[in-house]
Amino acid sequence: MAALVERISTYLHERGLRVVDIPIWIGGMLFLLAWASPFLWMVTTSFKYPEDVLTTHIEWIPRRVTIDNFIQVFELPVLRWALNSAVQAIIATFFCVVFGAMAGFALARMRFPGRGAIFMVFLASLMVPTEVSVVPMLLAFVKVGWASTYQALILPMIANVLSLYIFRQFFLSFPQELLDAARMDGANIMRAFWLIAFPLARAPAVAAAVIIFTLNWNNFLWPLLVTFDESMKTLPVGIAQFAPNVGTHTQIEGYAVAMAAITMLSIPSLVVFFLLQKHFISGISQGGIKQ
Amino acid sequence: MQDEHAAIDQRGHRMKQAEPIEWTGYLFVAFFAVPFLLFNVGPILFGLFVSLTEWNIIGSPDWVGAANYLQALSDPWIHQAFTNVLIYGLLIVPGVVVLGLGAALFVNAGYPLTGIARTLFFAPHVVSATVIGLVWVWLLDTRYGLINVYLGRVGVDPIPWLTSAEWVIFGVSIASVWWDMGLAFVLFLAALQDVPKDLLEAAEMDGANRIKRFWFVTLPLIRPALSMVVTLQLIATLRIFSQVYVMTNGGPAGASASPIHYIYNVAIERYLFGYASAIGVLLFILILVVTLLHRTVLRETV
């Protein structure tokens, strides 16, 4: 016992902590546990038999499990929605990164009149919430005959100011010698960009790609508005139908199947986040700072 | 004297020669600017026009001037939606700021296992509104939801979180705080890591306890981050839609409807595109006022 106290106090001392930090740490970890528990409850519920779900007897770890709920999810065209989501998010992310890198490079390293003003216009647009322009945009897409198409899902998402901003910040501190060296070798600025600058911009490219992909994968309002056909819905919009109060499912099986559906829906975002956390958080912080 | 003139001329001349205009720059920007103009700027201008017309999805627009705006000012549903969104703001913004700052202080203190704490505090922010909405519809279920079951064990009667007009904004706000806190947390954490350690140590030497150190050293230094989080969250809350749509669809009887939810209803259920655009413009003005107020306050305090 004495030895344990000794070890704890040495440990605390080494880290510059006090005894009062122990209850704070325990309290914080309990709060963290509570914070993460909705995810655990979601996964737990998704493996339960429907009759084990609607009960006040709480089982954090189910006595018996089933994958029926996951099978039932596929009664709706989930695979088609997943395909739509993937096509939309991948293509939009690709253009966001390429266009953002080109414009970000030009605004950071090329000299032409109006450069500062152009950047200010891009930044100012961030003050306009997309929701304001979404109704007129829907009207325009309907009038052109592009409702419920991939064009409608993708085109409004291919120019993202956040991506441009991340690249511009990176290229502002890009070593001039590298560009000069390329130009000495006779490369024009376009070749210098594609052969030297862009390949070295991996960090901002990953940060921008991760953020933009997640934004698109999770995007809700625009796909909800512009897809009238069941087959052109994206995954978040389609799966929202599993809500017991909106959808056609009864409440009894509703929750178990709904949890199975959103367990599958959240896996790509969570995996991307866990794997690329650093890039994700650096990009997100810059996105906040841009305001 | 003459030498000086010559030097200036030479410098001016050299500048023109060494820094020619790189016309390719416009080309590089154009790839971004064309979709930006078409899909970001265009719809805003088009929306201003549409808001002055009566336009349903078939047929052509009829010019009605300010009629949509006048109608909006006396529409009881709009009053309710804007009142609701202010209550959302009063609940969600303090919730996100307090929990986000608390979590950031905890992670920044260097306790064991804070790496995993950082990941988990941020995790809800990366999933979609559908996930947030459905998880919380289940957690807040009146009879079998986890929250009410646990509250029942300490003697609290079941709370109709999402089914009564009195409670529904609380229910949706709890889910929203869980979703939004991660961003505030990350921004606070970045600000805390920039607080100079020696300042805190000096304050400790002078006998300041940790509450005093937080209040007099840390808090003043992270004020820009605090102000930014408040504004970002306020704007995000004014735009609240997806979780409302998934969790309650604005119900019961419009008690949880937000301005954007009402815009959605007007456009999609009633096909009143002119009217929906006008509400959008009104919401934009509200958000612009909040942003400009924030800039003014920020300039005065920093």
Side-chain angles (χ1 to χ4, degrees), chain A residues 26-80:
Chain A
I26 292 173
M29 290 319 266
L30 286 177
F31 178 68
L32 179 68
L33 203 63
W35 195 257
S37 63
F39 282 125
L40 181 58
W41 193 235
M42 164 182 95
V43 176
T44 299
T45 307
S46 71
F47 285 106
K48 282 182 178 172
Y49 283 91
E51 56 268 32
D52 294 344
V53 169
L54 289 190
T55 162
T56 56
H57 177 72
I58 290 166
E59 280 178 5
W60 281 97
I61 295 165
R63 275 175 302 128
R64 47 190 197 134
V65 296
T66 170
I67 57 161
D68 275 0
N69 303 318
F70 289 89
I71 294 167
Q72 273 198 53
V73 170
F74 288 94
E75 284 173 10
L76 289 180
V78 177
L79 289 175
R80 176 62 203 237

Side-chain angles (χ1 to χ4, degrees), chain B residues 71-207:
Chain B
Q71 189 190 344
L73 293 178
S74 59
D75 183 339
W77 291 101
I78 289 195
H79 292 171
Q80 176 161 37
F82 278 84
T83 313
N84 287 347
V85 88
L86 291 181
I87 304 174
Y88 278 124
L90 287 174
L91 293 171
I92 297 173
V93 175
V96 163
V97 168
V98 170
L99 293 180
L101 185 53
L105 285 168
F106 178 71
V107 169
N108 194 47
Y111 296 129
L113 297 178
T114 43
I116 195 167
R118 200 178 71 152
T119 307
L120 289 179
F121 278 134
F122 190 70
H125 194 71
V126 307
V127 298
S128 75
T130 306
V131 176
I132 304 291
L134 289 181
V135 164
W136 281 95
V137 165
W138 170 216
L139 288 167
L140 294 172
D141 185 88
T142 307
R143 281 179 69 190
Y144 302 109
L146 207 57
I147 306 278
N148 275 353
V149 170
Y150 278 132
L151 284 177
R153 291 193 185 164
V154 294
V156 179
D157 286 336
I159 296 170
W161 291 109
L162 299 176
T163 48
S164 81
E166 292 79 39
W167 283 101
V168 69
I169 291 188
F170 285 92
V172 176
S173 294
I174 292 172
S176 305
V177 169
W178 191 65
W179 195 22
D180 291 345
M181 191 275 263
L183 179 60
F185 161 72
V186 166
L187 296 175
F188 280 134
L189 192 59
L192 286 175
Q193 283 164 351
D194 287 343
V195 173
K197 287 267 184 306
D198 40 338
L199 267 183
L200 291 167
E201 278 162 14
E204 200 177 357
M205 298 280 211
D206 292 344

Side-chain angles (χ1 to χ4, degrees), chain B:
Chain B
M1 218 28 207
Q2 277 214 319
D3 278 357
E4 245 179 67
H5 272 290
I8 290 166
D9 277 346
Q10 216 176 16
R11 201 159 47 222
H13 190 65
R14 201 169 55 218
M15 264 181 69
K16 266 182 206 149
Q17 282 231 315
E19 302 185 4
I21 296 172
E22 286 169 306
W23 298 101
T24 337
Y26 291 112
L27 179 69
F28 269 51
V29 172
F31 283 100
F32 183 92
V34 169
F36 174 82
L37 289 173
L38 276 176
F39 301 110
N40 289 37
V41 181
I44 296 168
L45 302 177
F46 184 47
L48 287 174
F49 166 72
V50 176
S51 76
L52 299 169
T53 69
E54 199 166 283
W55 201 348
N56 48 31
I57 217 151
I58 22 172
S60 50
D62 294 322
W63 186 263
V64 295
N68 287 323
Y69 291 95
L70 294 175
Q71 189 190 344
L73 293 178
S74 59
D75 183 339
W77 291 101
I78 289 195
H79 292 171
Q80 176 161 37
F82 278 84
T83 313
N84 287 347
V85 88
L86 291 181
I87 304 174
Y88 278 124
L90 287 174
L91 293 171
I92 297 173
V93 175
V96 163
V97 168
V98 170
L99 293 180
L101 185 53
L105 285 168
F106 178 71
V107 169
N108 194 47
Y111 296 129
L113 297 178
T114 43
I116 195 167
R118 200 178 71 152
T119 307
L120 289 179
F121 278 134
F122 190 70
H125 194 71
V126 307
V127 298
S128 75
T130 306
V131 176
I132 304 291
L134 289 181
V135 164
W136 281 95
V137 165
W138 170 216
L139 288 167
L140 294 172
D141 185 88
T142 307
R143 281 179 69 190
Y144 302 109
L146 207 57
I147 306 278
N148 275 353
V149 170
Y150 278 132
L151 284 177
R153 291 193 185 164
V154 294
V156 179
D157 286 336
I159 296 170
W161 291 109
L162 299 176
T163 48
S164 81
E166 292 79 39
W167 283 101
V168 69
I169 291 188
F170 285 92
V172 176
S173 294
I174 292 172
S176 305
V177 169
W178 191 65
W179 195 22
D180 291 345
M181 191 275 263
L183 179 60
F185 161 72
V186 166
L187 296 175
F188 280 134
L189 192 59
L192 286 175
Q193 283 164 351
D194 287 343
V195 173
K197 287 267 184 306
D198 40 338
L199 267 183
L200 291 167
E201 278 162 14
E204 200 177 357
M205 298 280 211
D206 292 344
N209 63 25
R210 62 180 76 203
I211 294 169
K212 280 192 173 157
R213 287 202 301 271
F214 171 72
W215 195 256
F216 293 112
V217 181
T218 310
L219 198 57
L221 285 172
I222 62 166
R223 247 181 95 170
L226 186 66
S227 152
M228 183 168 73
V229 167
V230 169
T231 315
L232 286 178
Q233 188 56 51
L234 192 56
I235 293 173
T237 307
L238 291 174
R239 297 164 58 182
I240 189 170
F241 169 73
S242 320
Q243 62 268 55
V244 175
Y245 174 83
V246 175
M247 293 178 78
T248 64
N249 204 11
S256 63
S258 66
I260 291 181
H261 188 270
Y262 189 58
I263 292 174
Y264 168 82
N265 260 333
V266 169
I268 294 298
E269 314 280 333
R270 288 153 63 189
Y271 302 117
L272 300 174
F273 282 80
Y275 192 35
S277 300
I279 308 168
V281 172
L282 290 177
L283 181 66
F284 167 54
I285 293 170
L286 180 64
I287 289 172
L288 198 65
V289 168
V290 169
T291 316
L292 294 177
L293 271 180
H294 162 246
R295 302 245 151 140
T296 322
V297 172
L298 198 68
R299 244 200 305 278
E300 276 167 16
T301 53
V302 175

Side-chain angles (χ1 to χ4, degrees), chain A:
Chain A
M1 189 62 193
L4 186 67
V5 170
E6 179 77 8
R7 276 186 61 183
I8 289 174
S9 80
T10 327
Y11 180 84
L12 291 176
H13 190 75
E14 273 170 3
R15 289 173 164 251
L17 301 173
R18 303 268 170 79
V19 179
V20 71
D21 284 301
I22 296 176
I24 295 178
W25 181 75
I26 292 173
M29 290 319 266
L30 286 177
F31 178 68
L32 179 68
L33 203 63
W35 195 257
S37 63
F39 282 125
L40 181 58
W41 193 235
M42 164 182 95
V43 176
T44 299
T45 307
S46 71
F47 285 106
K48 282 182 178 172
Y49 283 91
E51 56 268 32
D52 294 344
V53 169
L54 289 190
T55 162
T56 56
H57 177 72
I58 290 166
E59 280 178 5
W60 281 97
I61 295 165
R63 275 175 302 128
R64 47 190 197 134
V65 296
T66 170
I67 57 161
D68 275 0
N69 303 318
F70 289 89
I71 294 167
Q72 273 198 53
V73 170
F74 288 94
E75 284 173 10
L76 289 180
V78 177
L79 289 175
R80 176 62 203 237
W81 298 337
L83 175 74
N84 295 341
S85 272
V87 167
Q88 190 274 332
I90 289 169
I91 296 180
T93 306
F94 173 78
F95 282 117
C96 275
V97 168
V98 174
F99 293 169
M102 291 173 73
F105 180 77
L107 292 175
R109 299 313 287 256
M110 292 161 96
R111 276 178 296 269
F112 51 89
R115 180 174 85 149
I118 292 171
F119 183 58
M120 287 319 289
V121 170
F122 289 153
L123 275 193
S125 78
L126 290 170
M127 298 214 310
V128 185
T130 48
E131 285 81 355
V132 173
S133 51
V134 104
V135 169
M137 192 149 73
L138 173 64
L139 186 59
F141 271 96
V142 169
K143 287 288 173 193
V144 177
W146 279 359
S148 293
T149 60
Y150 282 118
Q151 302 90 290
L153 288 172
I154 295 166
L155 284 176
M157 308 298 160
I158 61 174
N160 189 305
V161 179
L162 176 55
S163 167
L164 179 149
Y165 183 86
I166 290 173
F167 278 107
R168 180 177 172 273
Q169 293 304 99
F170 173 81
F171 285 127
L172 278 178
S173 54
F174 193 79
Q176 182 64 39
E177 303 84 64
L178 285 174
L179 296 174
D180 288 344
R183 303 189 77 168
M184 298 265 232
D185 294 344
N188 62 22
I189 188 82
M190 213 183 278
R191 282 177 64 88
F193 171 74
W194 285 115
L195 297 177
I196 309 288
F198 192 58
L200 288 172
R202 257 188 64 185
V206 174
V210 168
I211 303 276
I212 307 285
F213 181 87
T214 311
L215 280 179
N216 278 287
W217 181 264
N218 292 339
N219 194 12
F220 196 84
L221 180 59
W222 178 244
L224 173 72
L225 287 170
V226 83
T227 53
F228 301 117
D229 296 342
E230 196 73 359
S231 65
M232 281 310 293
K233 283 186 169 152
T234 60
L235 213 43
V237 172
I239 282 181
Q241 292 171 50
F242 285 100
N245 55 341
V246 189
T248 53
H249 290 258
T250 64
Q251 205 187 18
I252 299 259
E253 54 182 15
Y255 286 127
V257 178
M259 293 308 116
I262 59 174
T263 299
M264 291 193 282
L265 174 58
S266 51
I267 283 172
S269 323
L270 288 175
V271 167
V272 166
F273 168 60
F274 288 141
L275 292 180
L276 301 167
Q277 223 187 111
K278 248 188 214 138
H279 299 283
F280 203 102
I281 289 179
S282 85
I284 280 274
S285 316
Q286 291 193 45
I289 287 155
K290 88 203 172 204
Q291 293 274 342

